[in-house]
Amino acid sequence: MTRSEERMHVGIERYETGHARLRKYVVTEEEQQTVPVRHEEVRIEREPITEANRGEALSGDPISEAEYDVTLHGERPVVRTEAVPVERVRLVTEEHVEQRTVTGEVRKERIEAELPDGEHKLPPTTGKDTPGQGRHR
């Protein structure tokens, strides 16, 4: 006669519990800075002829046509941007281990013997040999 028992084997299985995602997107923000801007303006200046400047005033032709050009300069703000890396971001998973008690049902066969004289009754088997009694088949 064979007596059988079920044995419980507890293992683990890995399953998906969710997703985490990093998403990069672009936003535009307005930034203001104040910068000094210069420009040139022209004005007419008249000065009377004096003894100090008379030599310069008489150095050209007495009556003639002439032109004198002045180039004016100005400044305007110019904005340029450059992409500069400022930080790296990544997702890191951490593994945590916890202990869990698992309960399951197992089936076991029991064998009991009744002998005609009633004195040699075997105790119910537990799956282990009883010390000093040996195995009965």
Side-chain angles (χ1 to χ4, degrees), residues 67-126:
E67 262 185 28
Y68 183 68
D69 284 329
V70 174
T71 302
L72 302 173
H73 298 90
E75 296 176 338
R76 65 176 160 250
V78 177
V79 176
R80 73 174 182 83
T81 60
E82 66 175 318
V84 179
V86 293
E87 72 176 340
R88 292 184 46 82
V89 179
R90 66 180 157 269
L91 291 174
V92 178
T93 60
E94 295 178 355
E95 190 173 279
H96 297 273
V97 178
E98 60 186 50
Q99 300 297 322
R100 293 214 177 151
T101 301
V102 178
T103 304
E105 291 184 0
V106 294
R107 299 178 302 160
K108 297 180 180 184
E109 296 175 336
R110 300 281 189 229
I111 298 176
E112 197 173 87
E114 283 190 35
L115 301 178
D117 61 4
E119 293 183 19
H120 296 88
K121 195 173 192 180
L122 290 175
T125 57
T126 61

Side-chain angles (χ1 to χ4, degrees), residues 8-69:
M8 188 166 79
H9 299 281
V10 178
I12 58 168
E13 70 177 14
R14 192 172 177 96
Y15 66 98
E16 187 177 294
T17 60
H19 288 274
R21 176 180 291 133
L22 282 178
R23 182 177 293 131
K24 183 171 73 167
Y25 59 95
V26 177
V27 296
T28 302
E29 295 178 350
E30 195 170 283
E31 186 175 305
Q32 291 184 346
Q33 290 185 11
T34 302
V35 58
V37 178
R38 295 183 295 240
H39 68 278
E40 296 175 339
E41 294 181 357
V42 67
R43 63 180 159 76
I44 296 177
E45 202 175 85
R46 297 176 186 268
E47 64 180 84
I49 303 297
T50 62
E51 287 303 317
N53 64 15
R54 185 174 297 278
E56 262 185 72
L58 297 174
S59 66
D61 293 335
I63 296 184
S64 64
E65 292 185 6
E67 262 185 28
Y68 183 68
D69 284 329

Side-chain angles (χ1 to χ4, degrees), residues 129-134:
D129 290 334
T130 308
Q133 299 228 351

